[in-house]
């Protein structure tokens, strides 16, 4: 079958583009176009795409339009769930804590689900700090009487805090003084099965974090370990976070494809390489999804889990190649589940980094002469360089847009943090599995502490180097989009010229 250009090889990727366009349109036109209008347009375009099967071109256009309306419809529905009418006066409500609390000065902040309403509402809560507020944890129930308020911005900064809360599903904010609330076990029957499972998983994560503390991990060593292995970053100091950001190593602290791929490989080893077994694949994927729930379902890990799920079953057909189609299917799943995930920074960076690796890794890798690839150490170094360069090329414009920064020594940093983070993940799993050998577990803890301290020291050293990062970059979303257009334009021009050079002789 002859295809019209390479883009035809990735049909799902084209559908994602139109789905994203629909999500953006649905958000921008919310309140102007009703939810029913989107729904009717979706049905009409879907029926049209079925009836026009005799004309392939027109049917293709109808399918693309259907995905635009699908994105608009899903976004409108999601925004309608979030933008609820809040009571004008104080109300008494029951809620359950769904995130680890963060202590900041005289305030303890956390996310809550108000469970006593007909439709559960996600609320960003701030408690006046006292012993009772410091004792709340994921799964803690409270009864409160206060006024729920619409999210709003504070100060004159550029960061749109209200929009950030909206994009993450928060319908309201609330401040609770000492006398406004008390702890009480509340019913979770009104919550969805996924929310209840997520709460149970977060409670189990707290148990694992407590176990790490009891094993002797503390300070920033514990903070890095908690962030890398269980997705809990609340213990990280501002200084350490800044050093990881400046050095270009912040990605190892966000659960993503790197972490889940390591865990997938680890589980495959535990199954003695039976990666082709259906039973083994099902058990491995179940373990991956349990881990993602324990980590709190971050979007980057969700994307990776979907991709690994597809990959695991495709591998049973002896087709082990990851492709842009697999990435695109993962994007469709994540965006259909919640279209506002499109505006999550983790979603954008995760998908773009993987896409750029899939597109640019091989062209960069093949720059190296074949004779040098026969030397294993040089081959490994160049593979690491190629992956790091491709991933950084994908996320650098976004980092500049959101953080106004470009890390200059990211290649140097990745040569250290990627292999060390792999060792840390393997070591953490070994610690949890070696509880029946206390002496061996204690030795592993000492070794792992030294490894984490070594990584922190390397990151701090790179961050302290002259010119470690370019600061104060100020670009708009349109300029960021143009940068990506320029990158791909240059890529296709070079590819076309190389093809012409190959044809001419």
């Amino acid at each position: 079958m002859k295809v019209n250009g390479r883009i035809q090889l990735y049909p799902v990727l084209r559908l994602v583009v139109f789905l994203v366009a629909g999500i953006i349109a649905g958000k921008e036109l919310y309140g102007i176009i009703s939810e029913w209008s989107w729904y009717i347009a979706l049905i009409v375009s879907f029926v049209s795409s079925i009836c026009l099967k005799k004309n392939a071109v027109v049917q293709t256009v109808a399918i693309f339009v259907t995905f635009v309306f699908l994105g608009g419809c899903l976004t409108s529905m999601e925004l309608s769930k979030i933008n609820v009418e809040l009571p004008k006066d104080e109300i008494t409500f029951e809620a359950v804590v769904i995130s680890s609390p963060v202590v900041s000065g005289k305030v303890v902040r956390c996310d809550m689900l108000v469970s006593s309403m007909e439709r559960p509402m996600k609320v960003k809560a701030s408690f006046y700090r006292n012993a009772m507020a410091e004792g709340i944890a994921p799964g803690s129930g409270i009864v409160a009487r206060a006024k729920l308020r619409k999210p709003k911005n504070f100060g004159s900064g550029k960061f749109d805090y209200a929009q950030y809360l909206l994009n993450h599903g928060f319908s309201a904010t609330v401040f609770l003084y000492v006398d406004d609330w008390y702890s009480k076990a509340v019913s979770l029957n009104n919550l969805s099965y996924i929310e209840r499972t997520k709460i149970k998983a977060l409670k189990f994560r707290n148990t694992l974090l407590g176990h790490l503390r009891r094993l002797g991990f503390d300070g920033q060593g514990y903070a890095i370990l908690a962030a890398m292995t269980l997705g809990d970053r609340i213990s990280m100091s501002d200084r350490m976070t800044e050093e990881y950001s400046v050095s270009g190593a912040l990605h190892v602290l966000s659960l993503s494809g790197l972490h889940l791929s390591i865990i997938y490989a680890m589980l495959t080893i535990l199954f003695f390489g039976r990666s082709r077994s259906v039973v083994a694949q099902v058990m491995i994927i179940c373990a991956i999804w349990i881990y993602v729930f324990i980590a709190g379902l971050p979007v980057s890990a969700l994307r990776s889990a979907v991709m690994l799920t597809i990959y695991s079953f495709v591998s049973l057909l002896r087709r082990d190649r990851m492709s842009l189609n697999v990435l695109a299917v993962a994007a469709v799943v994540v965006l259909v589940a919640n279209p506002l995930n499109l505006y999550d920074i983790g979603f954008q960076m995760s998908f773009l980094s993987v896409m750029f690796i899939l597109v640019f890794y091989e062209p960069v890798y093949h720059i190296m002469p074949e004779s040098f690839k026969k030397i294993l150490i040089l081959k490994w170094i160049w593979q690491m360089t190629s992956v790091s360069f491709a991933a950084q090329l994908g996320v650098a414009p976004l980092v500049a847009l959101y953080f106004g920064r470009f890390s200059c020594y990211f290649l140097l940093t990745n040569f250290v943090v990627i292999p060390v983070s792999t060792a840390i993940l393997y070591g953490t799993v070994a610690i949890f599995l070696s509880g029946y050998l206390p002496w061996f577990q204690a030795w592993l803890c000492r070794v792992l502490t030294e490894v984490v301290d070594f990584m922190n020291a390397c990151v701090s050293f790179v961050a302290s180097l002259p010119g470690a990062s370019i600061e104060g970059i100020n670009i708009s979303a349109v300029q960021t989009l143009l940068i990506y257009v320029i990158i791909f334009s240059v890529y296709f021009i070079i590819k076309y010229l190389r093809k012409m050079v190959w044809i001419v002789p």
Side-chain angles (χ1 to χ4, degrees), residues 167-224:
N167 292 339
H168 287 79
F170 290 95
S171 300
T173 63
V174 65
F175 189 92
L176 298 172
Y177 291 96
V178 176
D179 297 331
D180 292 342
W181 68 283
Y182 60 90
S183 297
K184 179 187 175 182
V186 299
S187 174
L188 303 181
N189 293 333
N190 204 24
L191 303 183
S192 67
Y193 177 77
I194 291 179
E195 287 293 348
R196 281 179 283 169
T197 303
K198 183 178 177 181
I199 291 171
K200 291 179 181 178
L202 289 176
K203 291 170 70 174
F204 182 65
R205 182 177 75 172
N206 264 13
T207 302
L208 295 178
L209 291 172
H211 187 54
L212 287 178
R213 286 192 178 277
R214 287 191 296 273
L215 288 173
F217 295 101
D218 57 6
Q220 290 309 293
Y222 163 80
I224 296 298

Side-chain angles (χ1 to χ4, degrees), residues 6 359-360 363 486-496:
R6 286 189 63 82
V359 173
F360 290 97
I486 291 172
I487 291 173
F488 278 102
S489 298
V490 172
Y491 167 72
F492 286 118
I493 290 172
I494 293 175
K495 191 171 183 180
Y496 176 77

Side-chain angles (χ1 to χ4, degrees), residues 413-435:
T413 306
N414 284 333
F415 278 121
V416 176
V417 298
I418 291 180
V420 172
S421 62
T422 302
I424 290 173
L425 286 173
Y426 276 95
T428 305
V429 173
I431 284 175
F432 284 126
L433 295 178
S434 60

Side-chain angles (χ1 to χ4, degrees), residues 219-284:
Q220 290 309 293
Y222 163 80
I224 296 298
L225 199 60
M228 285 187 56
T229 58
L230 295 170
D232 186 89
R233 294 172 58 175
I234 65 172
S235 300
M236 284 192 62
S237 66
D238 293 339
R239 182 186 65 83
M240 185 60 68
T241 302
E242 180 73 6
E243 288 180 350
Y244 270 78
S245 177
V246 170
S247 64
L250 197 58
H251 62 92
V252 301
L253 303 180
S254 302
L255 297 185
S256 59
L258 172 66
H259 301 75
L260 294 193
S261 297
I262 294 171
I263 294 172
Y264 183 88
M266 190 186 310
L267 292 172
T268 302
I269 293 173
L270 291 177
F271 278 94
F272 303 102
R274 290 187 171 184
S275 59
R276 304 293 183 183
S277 167
V278 175
V279 175
Q281 286 295 333
V282 170
M283 295 182 67
I284 290 172

Side-chain angles (χ1 to χ4, degrees), residues 225-490:
L225 199 60
M228 285 187 56
T229 58
L230 295 170
D232 186 89
R233 294 172 58 175
I234 65 172
S235 300
M236 284 192 62
S237 66
D238 293 339
R239 182 186 65 83
M240 185 60 68
T241 302
E242 180 73 6
E243 288 180 350
Y244 270 78
S245 177
V246 170
S247 64
L250 197 58
H251 62 92
V252 301
L253 303 180
S254 302
L255 297 185
S256 59
L258 172 66
H259 301 75
L260 294 193
S261 297
I262 294 171
I263 294 172
Y264 183 88
M266 190 186 310
L267 292 172
T268 302
I269 293 173
L270 291 177
F271 278 94
F272 303 102
R274 290 187 171 184
S275 59
R276 304 293 183 183
S277 167
V278 175
V279 175
Q281 286 295 333
V282 170
M283 295 182 67
I284 290 172
I285 292 304
C286 287
I288 290 289
W289 279 101
I290 290 172
Y291 175 72
V292 172
F293 268 89
I294 292 174
L297 283 177
V299 179
S300 56
L302 188 61
R303 185 273 308 162
S304 181
V306 173
M307 288 190 70
L308 283 174
T309 301
I310 298 171
Y311 171 80
S312 66
F313 290 106
V314 168
S315 67
L316 296 175
L317 303 176
R318 305 286 174 175
R319 296 175 62 185
D320 291 336
R321 182 181 173 88
M322 279 287 188
S323 71
L324 288 174
N325 271 330
V326 176
L327 178 64
V329 171
V332 170
V333 172
V334 173
L335 292 177
V336 168
N338 184 358
L340 294 182
N341 282 334
L342 176 65
Y343 298 92
D344 185 273
I345 298 176
F347 172 89
Q348 296 172 13
M349 290 190 173
S350 177
F351 274 88
L352 280 173
S353 63
V354 174
M355 184 176 74
F356 271 69
I357 290 173
L358 291 173
V359 173
F360 290 97
Y361 168 74
E362 287 193 7
V364 176
Y365 175 71
H366 289 306
I367 292 175
M368 187 181 208
E370 292 297 326
S371 57
F372 287 99
K373 294 177 185 176
K374 296 178 181 179
I375 305 175
L376 292 180
I377 184 64
L378 292 180
K379 181 180 179 180
W380 177 82
I381 291 174
W382 189 245
Q383 285 176 333
M384 183 77 69
T385 302
S386 302
V387 171
S388 299
F389 175 80
Q392 189 69 17
L393 186 64
V395 301
L398 285 181
V399 173
L401 172 65
Y402 291 119
F403 306 108
R405 165 180 293 157
F406 176 77
S407 301
C408 299
Y409 302 137
F410 65 91
L411 285 176
L412 175 62
T413 306
N414 284 333
F415 278 121
V416 176
V417 298
I418 291 180
V420 172
S421 62
T422 302
I424 290 173
L425 286 173
Y426 276 95
T428 305
V429 173
I431 284 175
F432 284 126
L433 295 178
S434 60
Y436 58 92
L437 293 174
W439 62 270
F440 183 65
Q441 188 181 58
W443 178 80
L444 279 177
C445 290
R446 289 195 296 271
V447 172
L448 193 58
T449 299
E450 294 296 326
V451 173
V452 174
D453 290 342
F454 169 75
M455 186 173 73
N456 287 342
C458 291
V459 168
S460 298
F461 171 74
V462 174
S464 66
L465 293 175
S469 66
I470 300 173
E471 304 288 341
I473 302 175
N474 187 12
I475 59 176
S476 65
V478 175
Q479 290 172 320
T480 305
L481 180 61
L482 289 176
I483 290 173
Y484 283 113
V485 171
I486 291 172
I487 291 173
F488 278 102
S489 298
V490 172

